[in-house]
Amino acid sequence: MAPSSGERRSGQRRQLPRSRWQQWPSLLASAVLGVVVAVLLQSIAADAPPQAWAAGLVARVPQPSVGPQQLPRFTAAEAAALRDEAEALTPVAVVLDERAGLRWRPLLGELTAAAVDPATPESVRSDLHATCAALERLGL
């Protein structure tokens, strides 16, 4: 911003902000605070043995599966109950109840996988196919 005509005549000039290097107390305080925080963090990390850190990480990280995953098996009673529940649903009930989608969408993959699994008994498989067909009619 240019100085006004009055400031030019009287010799007054705007003062520029001070350089950060001239503000040495704040720089010194920042450096000391940084060193204190670094020392505290290192002392906290040094107090815990490395085995405790490793055990904590192993507990949090899921272990990879080595062999084929076991699919959930449905009993005949569970499959029949799921079939009856899916066939009782109506399109309006699915639209109005958001919990229906939250319940059936994740379950649909398990139902389909169990229905095509050769280890699933034929009676259970037919109930699972009927459940999947009812869910497809509803748009789930």
Side-chain angles (χ1 to χ4, degrees), residues 1 4 13 16 24-25 39 49 53 69 75 78 86 89-90 95 109 112-113 116 128-129 135-136 140:
M1 187 165 157
S4 68
R13 293 194 178 187
L16 295 174
W24 63 269
V39 168
W53 282 84
Q69 294 182 352
T75 63
E78 290 173 337
L89 286 173
T90 62
V95 170
T112 306
V116 297
L128 294 176
H129 281 296
L135 293 175
E136 287 178 17
L140 291 175

Side-chain angles (χ1 to χ4, degrees), residues 55-78:
L57 287 176
V58 168
R60 287 186 214 140
V61 176
Q63 297 298 322
S65 60
V66 177
Q69 294 182 352
Q70 289 291 337
L71 296 175
R73 303 287 183 228
F74 295 98
T75 63
E78 290 173 337

Side-chain angles (χ1 to χ4, degrees), residues 15-26:
Q15 188 176 9
L16 295 174
R18 291 176 32 188
S19 169
R20 297 274 183 224
W21 294 108
Q22 291 176 351
Q23 299 173 358
W24 63 269
S26 61

Side-chain angles (χ1 to χ4, degrees), residues 32-130:
V32 168
L33 184 62
V35 169
V36 168
V37 168
V39 168
L40 286 175
L41 288 176
Q42 285 181 351
S43 67
I44 290 171
D47 289 343
Q51 294 81 14
W53 282 84
L57 287 176
V58 168
R60 287 186 214 140
V61 176
Q63 297 298 322
S65 60
V66 177
Q69 294 182 352
Q70 289 291 337
L71 296 175
R73 303 287 183 228
F74 295 98
T75 63
E78 290 173 337
L82 288 171
R83 181 200 64 219
D84 293 340
E85 188 178 347
E87 289 176 349
L89 286 173
T90 62
V92 174
V94 171
V95 170
L96 293 177
D97 186 13
E98 63 187 31
R99 291 177 293 171
L102 294 175
R103 169 170 166 52
W104 289 103
R105 282 190 183 101
L107 191 59
L108 187 59
E110 295 176 16
L111 293 170
T112 306
V116 297
D117 186 15
T120 305
E122 186 58 38
S123 62
V124 174
R125 192 177 301 166
S126 65
D127 285 339
L128 294 176
H129 281 296

